[in-house]
Amino acid sequence: MQMNVASEQVPNPFSWYRKMRREHPVVYDEQADVWHVFSYEDVMRILADHATFHKVLIPPEVQNTINPILSSVLQADPHNHRRLHNIVMQAFSPQVLTTLEPRISEIIDGLLEQVIVTGEMDVTNDLAYPLPVSVIADLLGIPAELHGSFKDWCDTIKREPTIETTNPKFQKMGEYFRQVLNDRRLHPQDDLVSALVAAEINGQRLSEDELLGFCVVLLASGTNSSTGLIGNAIFCFDEQPEVMDILRAEPELMSGAIEEVLRYRAPIQALRRTTKKEVVLGKQHISVQQDVVAWIGSANHDEAQFPDPENFDIRRRPNRHLAFAHSIHLCVGAPLARLVAKKTLNSILKRLSDIRRRRDIPAVPVRSAWVSGLKTLPITFKVSP
């Protein structure tokens, strides 16, 4: 079977997902030489069964051109990945995140102040993207005078699918972080890099390449997750404006609303794995060393797992979505993305009213089958009294 996945996916994939779950829950794409998997049960298995499905993000033909600091994190085997994950998660503990809240609020207020007098803004470019960039810069201890260069690095990572050693911007970024690591070893500070340098489990600490790799991955995944989540939330709220009134009246429902956004419009719609051994999925026999695409977006709309999945329900319980993957490959930036989104959306609903998406200026989706997000999301609003 041949599929033009990208054209089916953008911008509203739900009917295509439903059709594939019913007619071809596990299907081989001859043109792309890849298996596509759509049901919740099978996608969950792919994400959880590390003995059968290997996380391969860097194609073999380009591995020699990839910066080794990145491959050390992305290509870690399950044992080492678990060690990396556990160490890194120490830096995203509830205690650490609590200390970030005042600064996150300060950044949000500053960004809103720049647009609030105009009565309109582009949610993506005025708020959802610059916010996590600034937060992660602070997390990594980047001084204010280097925030411009830091944003440039983030923009470059966002544009380029691979991180090549020959790219001068990545070389400068690597050189800068090596200097930061050396400084934090000698002079620890109250920032994420110092926490990562000091973190250990059973006497083991991250190597310098692992630390550098994590910094790069955090720039890429941290900004994309938070940006996509905030933009998709406003888009979902615009589709059902009564949700904003409910959340203003009952702000304690915001955490559940964010989980429903993650289910309904997950920022990352699919992940790729490679089989380490022969496996049967959905009555299909898949041989070893076959690429498999696990469609998270489809799994999150599977009727077998979520009653009335096309209904956006901020009170949905339970909500075992797979937006941040699963098991040892659970996104390490998930707690930060949730915190940033919660504080941002609460601030928007508190300070702004009559929020409406501009129909005369289309919201521009990210043209990707793998990502659900918006390059632009123009809205109008009034300032709340």
Side-chain angles (χ1 to χ4, degrees):
M1 182 177 183
Q2 295 184 357
M3 298 186 295
N4 187 346
V5 175
S7 65
E8 296 283 359
Q9 277 289 95
V10 179
N12 293 310
F14 307 127
S15 62
W16 182 65
Y17 286 156
R18 184 167 57 251
K19 176 181 178 182
M20 298 306 292
R21 285 194 305 273
R22 292 175 179 174
E23 300 178 9
H24 306 285
V26 179
V27 61
Y28 179 63
D29 184 343
E30 298 175 1
Q31 185 174 19
D33 188 24
V34 64
W35 288 87
H36 295 276
V37 180
F38 295 92
S39 75
Y40 183 94
E41 182 179 356
D42 289 336
V43 169
M44 170 71 87
R45 180 181 175 186
I46 291 169
L47 298 178
D49 185 357
H50 313 296
T52 303
F53 301 96
H54 180 53
K55 183 178 182 180
V56 178
L57 297 185
I58 303 176
E61 63 269 19
V62 299
Q63 283 186 5
N64 291 334
T65 68
I66 299 295
N67 195 322
I69 68 175
L70 183 61
S71 64
S72 68
V73 174
L74 294 183
Q75 297 295 86
D77 61 35
H79 173 74
N80 285 330
H81 190 282
R82 186 177 289 107
R83 181 176 68 87
L84 293 174
H85 186 274
N86 289 340
I87 292 175
V88 168
M89 285 305 294
Q90 293 181 13
F92 287 105
S93 67
Q95 295 83 358
V96 172
L97 292 179
T98 297
T99 64
L100 292 174
E101 292 194 35
R103 177 56 180 154
I104 293 173
S105 296
E106 180 184 347
I107 296 171
I108 293 168
D109 289 341
L111 292 170
L112 288 177
E113 286 298 328
Q114 295 178 25
V115 299
I116 205 166
V117 295
T118 67
E120 61 182 15
M121 69 170 162
D122 181 336
V123 172
T124 301
N125 294 297
D126 292 333
L127 182 63
Y129 179 60
L131 169 60
V133 169
S134 296
V135 171
I136 293 172
D138 284 354
L139 262 177
L140 295 174
I142 308 296
E145 61 269 21
L146 288 179
H147 277 202
S149 297
F150 185 80
K151 184 177 183 301
D152 191 34
W153 296 339
C154 292
D155 291 342
T156 303
I157 292 174
K158 189 176 181 181
R159 287 192 303 267
E160 301 194 16
T162 59
I163 298 181
E164 299 182 3
T165 51
T166 56
N167 188 313
K169 290 183 179 179
F170 293 128
Q171 290 177 339
K172 290 181 180 179
M173 180 172 59
E175 291 170 2
Y176 173 77
F177 280 125
R178 288 185 190 279
Q179 294 174 2
V180 171
L181 290 171
N182 290 332
D183 177 74
R184 296 305 189 272
R185 290 189 183 97
L186 297 173
H187 309 288
Q189 299 182 21
D190 186 19
D191 58 33
L192 176 61
V193 176
S194 298
L196 290 172
V197 167
E200 63 177 53
I201 293 179
N202 298 326
Q204 290 184 307
R205 294 188 177 185
L206 296 176
S207 69
E208 181 162 297
D209 278 354
E210 289 169 341
L211 286 165
L212 287 167
F214 172 76
C215 290
V216 176
V217 170
L218 180 63
L219 299 190
S221 62
T223 54
N224 289 339
S225 295
S226 295
T227 299
L229 177 52
I230 294 168
N232 288 353
I234 295 298
F235 193 83
C236 289
F237 295 172
D238 176 78
E239 291 179 322
Q240 298 190 54
E242 67 277 7
V243 168
M244 289 187 274
D245 294 331
I246 294 171
L247 291 173
R248 288 190 181 97
E250 302 178 72
E252 66 273 12
L253 295 178
M254 182 59 78
S255 293
I258 288 172
E259 297 309 308
E260 181 67 345
V261 172
L262 286 167
R263 183 196 71 84
Y264 196 82
R265 290 189 181 275
I268 302 299
Q269 291 285 294
L271 292 174
R272 184 185 291 261
R273 297 289 187 264
T274 298
T275 55
K276 299 169 70 175
K277 58 185 179 182
E278 186 175 345
V279 63
V280 176
L281 281 177
K283 300 181 180 179
Q284 299 286 346
H285 289 262
I286 303 176
S287 61
V288 67
Q289 291 298 309
Q290 282 284 297
D291 285 345
V292 179
V293 175
W295 285 97
I296 290 172
S298 175
N300 285 346
H301 283 254
D302 191 336
E303 301 85 348
Q305 177 69 24
F306 303 99
D308 194 13
E310 305 310 311
N311 179 37
F312 181 79
D313 180 6
I314 64 174
R315 291 185 172 90
R316 184 181 294 275
R317 297 289 188 279
N319 194 347
R320 297 178 65 243
H321 63 76
L322 302 175
F324 286 129
H326 181 69
S327 189
I328 66 168
H329 290 298
L330 186 71
C331 176
V332 295
L336 178 62
R338 286 183 167 106
L339 174 62
V340 170
K342 183 177 181 179
K343 296 193 74 66
T344 300
L345 296 170
N346 279 332
S347 294
I348 289 175
L349 295 182
K350 181 179 180 179
R351 299 189 63 179
L352 310 180
S353 62
D354 196 23
I355 300 171
R356 300 182 182 182
R357 182 162 59 90
R358 290 189 60 172
R359 265 53 182 185
D360 59 322
I361 304 178
V364 178
V366 175
R367 301 297 300 183
S368 169
W370 301 77
V371 176
S372 175
L374 297 158
K375 288 184 177 180
T376 63
L377 180 55
I379 64 170
T380 61
F381 55 82
K382 296 178 182 178
V383 180
S384 298

